[in-house]
Amino acid sequence: VAKILAVRPRRVERRASGAREALARGSGRLESFFVTGAQGCIGAWVVRKLLQRGAEPWVFDASEDRRRLRLVCTDAELERVRFVRGDV
């Protein structure tokens, strides 16, 4: 089962106005997420949605098999994902 934990972003737009516009322009990401079980069925779709919203997902999973992620995400999207191998 996928679990999502918000991770403090390294770089955050502090202005209330313009932050969404900056994200739309691609000048920076607003949030990072640590997703456990992300290489499973539900987790892969969660990662896809986070990528579509401009977030930076950190994938934590015991498996190195990225097959499900490749089924739902493009190669360009997967380049933005950070992978960490481990078991909870």
Side-chain angles (χ1 to χ4, degrees), residues 3-4 6 21-22 28 30 32 35 40-41 50-51 53-54 59-60 65-67 70 74 78 80 85-86 88:
K3 297 178 185 176
I4 301 175
E21 292 80 10
L30 296 178
S32 294
V35 184
C41 182
L50 290 171
L51 287 166
R53 293 181 182 190
V59 168
F60 184 82
D65 183 9
R66 298 181 184 171
R67 179 180 25 175
R70 284 194 299 263
T74 66
L78 285 177
R80 295 176 24 219
R85 184 164 189 251
V88 178

Side-chain angles (χ1 to χ4, degrees), residues 3-31:
K3 297 178 185 176
I4 301 175
L5 303 171
V7 176
R8 183 173 297 261
R10 285 178 277 149
R11 184 177 70 212
V12 178
E13 293 281 339
R14 294 290 178 193
R15 299 175 310 217
S17 63
R20 289 195 186 273
E21 292 80 10
L23 179 62
R25 287 192 309 269
S27 65
R29 293 187 181 93
L30 296 178
E31 295 180 288

Side-chain angles (χ1 to χ4, degrees), residues 6 15 17 19 21 30 34 36-39 44 58 62 64-65 69 75:
R15 299 175 310 217
S17 63
E21 292 80 10
L30 296 178
F34 185 77
T36 62
Q39 310 238 38
W58 285 71
E64 290 185 1
D65 183 9
L69 283 169
D75 289 336

